[in-house]
Amino acid sequence: MNRILQNISLLVIGSLFLMPWAHADNSSSDAIIAIVNDDVITLKDLRQYISSVAGQLKIENKSPQEVQQIMGEYEQKGLDKLIEDKLILAAANTQGIELRDDIVDKRLKEIKDRYASEDDFIKALNAQGVTVSDLQQKLSDQLKTKYEIDMEVRDKISVNPEDVTDYYNKHMDEFNRKSKVNLQSVFISFDKHSKQEAQTLADEARSHLLSGEDFNNVFKKYSEASSVGEVEQGQMVDAVENVVFNLKVDEVSDPVAVENGVYVFKAIGVSPSRQQTLAEVKDQVYNKLLDDQFQVKFKEWVDGLRQKAYVEIK
């Protein structure tokens, strides 16, 4: 569907791994913390649940940023999410949702393809104490849950073109694209040089650039940090922004001192600020409105599942 919806789906259904991937180490872990219909949830279940989320993300080869974002959600709301998962999967089973083997196999292949080899994939499974059969069963549960969410929530929401236009007209300030400049840069650090030495080296680098010498040659000789690249107005300290956003294409700046060194900038591209048109942002607005609807309807639906079920939190 769209990015936020996909993230919500992952947060809701991407963690049905209730395998013993984590080991509680004392008797208190058997303490009952919740009851959902006929299911008892213990502290050990919750620990395993949260640990299994991390295990699945590792198996799926998610990036560190994705892992951090998703695990942050689960560490804060783990019990609520575990209860939601049980309720949604139970609803899917009540609906009699069944999956063809090839659908699960396709999802399994997508995960395998993230690894360099079959051996690497098996090693990742072994590291989490999971078999291929375990993974297939959990993927089946995930997909059934996803289809249940699609039927009960996703397929019942829509956004009209008039809604998109109305939102754009009322929030035009959100679509004012800021100025951008694409920068090549040479950086001389105060850690390796005195301030006077750094200034002298920056002056030398600037002179070479002004004389027309190839930037890469100057960069290799002088720079102690990677080139800045494209930046948007508001992302850099004032001392730098006041210089770089007044450069013309191919213009070289005077040396600019910051807290930890001296920069010399060369602008290789400039994009002035401007108001984005409705045609440019209509998909972005559509997705936002759809996401907003989904969040509301999903919560209403899950709350309804809770009301119909017996849920007790100890």
Side-chain angles (χ1 to χ4, degrees):
M1 184 172 174
N2 49 59
R3 184 181 59 80
I4 295 178
L5 177 54
Q6 288 170 344
N7 286 345
I8 291 172
S9 295
L10 179 58
L11 291 174
V12 172
I13 68 171
S15 57
L16 298 172
F17 286 74
L18 302 181
M19 304 299 297
W21 293 1
H23 301 280
D25 55 4
N26 56 58
S27 58
S28 66
S29 66
D30 292 328
I32 296 173
I33 59 175
I35 299 174
V36 180
N37 293 326
D38 296 329
D39 287 338
V40 171
I41 300 176
T42 66
L43 181 59
K44 179 179 179 181
D45 292 331
L46 180 59
R47 288 172 176 169
Q48 290 178 346
Y49 176 82
I50 294 175
S51 177
S52 71
V53 176
Q56 181 187 357
L57 297 176
K58 290 177 182 177
I59 289 173
E60 294 194 7
N61 244 357
K62 297 291 185 183
S63 70
Q65 293 80 8
E66 289 175 300
V67 172
Q68 182 179 10
Q69 176 187 349
I70 295 169
M71 290 309 300
E73 289 281 338
Y74 276 97
E75 287 166 4
Q76 292 179 25
K77 304 174 182 177
L79 181 56
D80 282 342
K81 291 185 178 296
L82 176 51
I83 291 171
E84 283 182 7
D85 281 359
K86 285 184 174 290
L87 291 173
I88 297 169
L89 183 58
N93 288 330
T94 299
Q95 292 277 8
I97 295 176
E98 297 291 341
L99 299 175
R100 301 194 314 269
D101 290 342
D102 63 299
I103 295 176
V104 178
D105 291 342
K106 180 181 178 182
R107 179 70 184 108
L108 181 64
K109 183 177 184 301
E110 289 172 356
I111 296 174
K112 284 184 178 181
D113 288 345
R114 296 175 185 173
Y115 290 84
S117 67
E118 179 83 10
D119 285 345
D120 288 342
F121 170 67
I122 297 300
K123 287 178 183 177
L125 288 179
N126 291 339
Q128 301 304 319
V130 180
T131 67
V132 173
S133 295
D134 294 332
L135 182 55
Q136 287 174 319
Q137 180 58 54
K138 300 310 172 183
L139 291 176
S140 176
D141 288 345
Q142 290 177 1
L143 289 167
K144 284 198 292 186
T145 306
K146 178 185 181 302
Y147 293 149
E148 177 69 8
I149 293 172
D150 287 348
M151 286 191 303
E152 296 297 334
V153 183
R154 176 182 174 181
D155 294 345
K156 297 179 180 179
I157 59 178
S158 62
V159 174
N160 297 320
E162 294 82 3
D163 297 330
V164 174
T165 302
D166 185 57
Y167 184 91
Y168 173 80
N169 289 333
K170 291 179 178 178
H171 301 84
M172 292 186 68
D173 57 321
E174 294 181 15
F175 308 107
N176 184 16
R177 194 173 71 180
K178 295 181 180 179
S179 299
K180 293 183 180 181
V181 59
N182 195 359
L183 299 168
Q184 293 176 325
S185 61
V186 173
F187 177 72
I188 315 297
S189 170
F190 291 152
D191 291 337
K192 296 183 179 180
H193 311 278
S194 69
K195 290 187 176 182
Q196 184 57 52
E197 289 171 339
Q199 183 67 42
T200 298
L201 290 170
D203 287 335
E204 289 179 12
R206 180 174 184 272
S207 295
H208 286 295
L209 292 173
L210 289 173
S211 70
E213 187 170 338
D214 181 73
F215 172 81
N216 290 329
N217 293 336
V218 178
F219 178 84
K220 290 176 183 178
K221 182 176 180 180
Y222 290 96
S223 191
E224 297 164 7
S226 57
S227 203
V228 170
E230 187 176 67
V231 294
E232 185 178 86
Q233 197 157 19
Q235 293 180 326
M236 308 180 79
V237 296
D238 290 344
V240 173
E241 290 214 343
N242 291 338
V243 172
V244 300
F245 282 97
N246 284 297
L247 293 175
K248 299 179 177 64
V249 175
D250 292 331
E251 186 177 0
V252 178
S253 74
D254 290 330
V256 181
V258 293
E259 184 178 353
N260 58 340
V262 182
Y263 278 101
V264 176
F265 298 101
K266 180 179 179 180
I268 59 174
V270 176
S271 300
S273 63
R274 67 179 182 84
Q275 182 70 43
Q276 292 176 289
T277 66
L278 175 59
E280 290 177 296
V281 301
K282 65 179 181 180
D283 288 343
Q284 176 185 338
V285 175
Y286 175 86
N287 287 335
K288 173 184 168 41
L289 296 178
L290 208 60
D291 291 335
D292 289 347
Q293 277 197 45
F294 180 87
Q295 303 246 13
V296 172
K297 297 299 183 182
F298 177 80
K299 184 178 184 306
E300 290 175 354
W301 176 63
V302 172
D303 287 348
L305 292 180
R306 280 178 178 263
Q307 291 174 4
K308 294 175 184 176
Y310 176 79
V311 178
E312 179 183 355
I313 298 177
K314 300 292 186 177

